[in-house]
Amino acid sequence: MTMSRRAIIKGIATAPFAGAAAGVLAATPAEAATIDASQYSLTSRTSNSYGEFAALTAALAARLPTVDATTVIADTNRNATHLTSAPSTSEAFATGFAWDPDDQDVDYWIPQGVTTSADAYGNGLYPEGGSNKVVLVSWYFETDPDGDGVDEYALDKGLRLTFVDYNTASTPTYRHILLVEPVRTATGAYSFNPIRKHAGGIMWYGNLLYVVDTYKGLRVFDLNTLFTVDTAEKDLCGLSTDGTTYYGYGYQYVLPQSHAYDNAGTYLRYTTIGLDRASTPDSLTVSEYSLSGTVDYDDGTFNGTGKPASATPHVVRWPLDYTDRELGSLTATEAVTVAQQKIQGVVSRNSKHYLSTSNGPSTKGTLRTFTSGGSTASAVCDLAIGCEDLSYHTSGASGWAYSESVIWNVSEYVDKRYVYAVHADGS
């Protein structure tokens, strides 16, 4: 979910009409329309207020051991449970896993985004020319898990990313790492800060990981450069007061931000993101969350030139450049509206768009699809309760040898947390 962390929970709890509206909209087709895409644009940013990302990262690399994602994949430290049947209310089940008991029960880390090595490279294996089958999941830290307006946890630890080694689907293993932004301290020393955002959607493309920043745009991380840090202090992040030791809230690895794309055109709520390998060139699509079918552009400080003409949720596409894995254009090439509330995930195949739509902590989610220029979005199959982000996994990803294309999903609620794939055709 991608309103403010508390607003969405409190909105569900205090507004019974939302549940009623959800039932109505879920039972009826959602309307869709094509609109002018040129109003949506991004600017490319290679720095923050502390300097160029590359220079900050290079300075940290001179002080810390540097590894790449393959090192993390080979260094997992937790065991997941293979799913042999569909989790929760999900239909059309293909494969998946559940987290270990600690990650099922923890209330302050909440899973949101999902992507796989089938996004990273066409054959589904990582790194390029390698052999790893990998699933990535993003989590955000919630200081007020029960949504009562009182923080149960004083320290917001930001965002973490989970590398799941799926080479042996029957016995998946994984490791959490921390996402950080490189900075300098008041004395000029090189350090990094936690990223206190939502990470409602992630997309892996080559060596780059794209993470949505709700009000701002896209953050980018280079999986070729992670740092190994000290694990002794679970409540410290960055350079300690001794001037030599770096921590990442107890995680062994931290991944620094390397780039950003800031929204520069009409406001867009960057809720979730998906890769489209069927388009020419490859492209990404972004979708917007709304509680009741109308997007809120007043609950935060948005980058951009102003609100869109319609607050109906949008799906917006940008092309990608496979040679450097960055955006191929800063101006969107497609934009559509879709009258559907609670969109938690999007993934596209040319003009066909898939949406995951949720319905609270006790009601099943739904995988829906619509076509650009078409008038309705229809149900494909049921998803788990608390469904979130999506990732399309084509049967053409030969390294995984799936006989048909699947769509991955992640569910978020305590004791109902699954990462699983369903058949894309709903069969």
Side-chain angles (χ1 to χ4, degrees):
M1 53 183 78
T2 314
M3 290 179 67
S4 67
R5 299 179 183 180
R6 295 178 188 164
I8 181 73
I9 298 171
K10 293 172 72 176
I12 292 172
T14 60
F17 68 85
V24 172
L25 286 179
T28 58
E31 296 179 355
T34 301
I35 61 173
D36 177 20
S38 65
Q39 64 186 295
Y40 293 100
S41 62
L42 292 155
T43 57
S44 177
R45 177 163 57 87
T46 61
S47 65
N48 58 20
S49 60
Y50 302 94
E52 291 288 319
F53 288 125
L56 295 168
T57 300
L60 287 167
R63 294 159 174 79
L64 288 165
T66 304
V67 301
D68 61 16
T70 56
T71 299
V72 180
I73 296 163
D75 190 28
T76 54
N77 62 347
R78 299 192 182 204
N79 296 317
T81 300
H82 174 61
L83 296 175
T84 57
S85 60
S88 180
T89 55
S90 174
E91 298 176 322
F93 175 73
T95 188
F97 61 89
W99 306 106
D100 76 7
D102 287 344
D103 287 323
Q104 280 287 358
D105 295 342
V106 66
D107 62 350
Y108 48 80
W109 280 115
I110 302 177
Q112 293 287 289
V114 64
T115 185
T116 77
S117 51
D119 283 338
Y121 293 104
N123 67 355
L125 302 177
Y126 187 85
E128 188 173 19
S131 60
N132 288 306
K133 304 173 188 177
V134 188
V135 178
L136 299 183
V137 174
S138 63
W139 310 59
Y140 76 89
F141 195 97
E142 177 56 82
T143 57
D144 178 23
D146 62 8
D148 64 358
V150 178
D151 286 334
E152 283 74 42
Y153 304 98
L155 179 61
D156 182 348
K157 296 184 178 181
L159 304 178
R160 72 180 184 184
L161 182 71
T162 306
F163 286 82
V164 183
D165 179 346
Y166 213 63
N167 287 311
T168 304
S170 60
T171 56
T173 59
Y174 64 96
R175 177 183 283 276
H176 304 305
I177 64 102
L178 193 71
L179 296 179
V180 298
E181 182 171 358
V183 299
R184 301 189 75 169
T185 68
T187 62
Y190 292 94
S191 185
F192 47 81
N193 289 336
I195 299 174
R196 296 184 172 112
K197 299 293 181 179
H198 194 80
I202 58 177
M203 186 196 78
W204 191 358
Y205 192 54
N207 62 304
L208 299 182
L209 177 72
Y210 287 75
V211 179
V212 291
D213 187 333
T214 307
Y215 309 112
K216 304 298 183 184
L218 304 172
R219 291 176 183 248
V220 184
F221 301 79
D222 187 346
L223 293 174
N224 288 335
T225 305
L226 296 91
F227 298 125
T228 305
V229 296
D230 196 288
T231 60
E233 296 290 345
K234 297 189 182 304
D235 290 333
L236 294 179
C237 180
L239 182 63
S240 70
T241 54
D242 68 12
T244 59
T245 310
Y246 290 84
Y247 298 102
Y249 291 138
Y251 295 105
Q252 185 171 338
Y253 302 104
V254 300
L255 175 60
Q257 182 175 342
S258 60
H259 200 98
Y261 291 102
D262 297 329
N263 194 67
T266 299
Y267 288 175
L268 183 68
R269 192 178 191 92
Y270 289 80
T271 299
T272 186
I273 186 173
L275 174 67
D276 185 354
R277 281 192 174 277
S279 64
T280 303
D282 294 344
S283 59
L284 64 83
T285 49
V286 170
S287 68
E288 298 182 292
Y289 177 88
S290 67
L291 183 61
S292 59
T294 300
V295 181
D296 187 352
Y297 298 108
D298 296 313
D299 67 335
T301 304
F302 281 80
N303 277 4
T305 57
K307 298 177 185 179
S310 168
T312 301
H314 300 83
V315 174
V316 182
R317 181 192 302 271
W318 278 269
L320 291 161
D321 184 344
Y322 78 93
T323 63
D324 58 13
R325 304 295 172 170
E326 297 179 359
L327 292 187
S329 170
L330 296 175
T331 301
T333 55
E334 182 185 20
V336 297
T337 62
V338 56
Q340 176 68 53
Q341 94 267 3
K342 298 183 180 179
I343 298 171
Q344 303 283 12
V346 67
V347 70
S348 303
R349 300 288 290 172
N350 281 316
S351 61
K352 187 173 185 178
H353 310 283
Y354 294 88
L355 309 171
S356 57
T357 61
S358 65
N359 201 9
S362 60
T363 306
K364 65 187 178 183
T366 307
L367 179 66
R368 303 178 69 85
T369 186
F370 73 97
T371 302
S372 298
S375 59
T376 62
S378 57
V380 177
C381 64
D382 293 339
L383 296 176
I385 293 169
C387 64
E388 288 290 327
D389 196 23
L390 297 176
S391 177
Y392 195 96
H393 190 137
T394 174
S395 59
S398 56
W400 293 66
Y402 286 160
S403 60
E404 58 183 293
S405 297
V406 300
I407 296 177
W408 287 83
N409 181 241
V410 57
S411 53
E412 69 171 352
Y413 292 117
V414 170
D415 292 327
K416 300 176 183 177
R417 291 174 174 164
Y418 308 102
V419 183
Y420 63 99
V422 301
H423 298 141
D425 64 2
S427 63

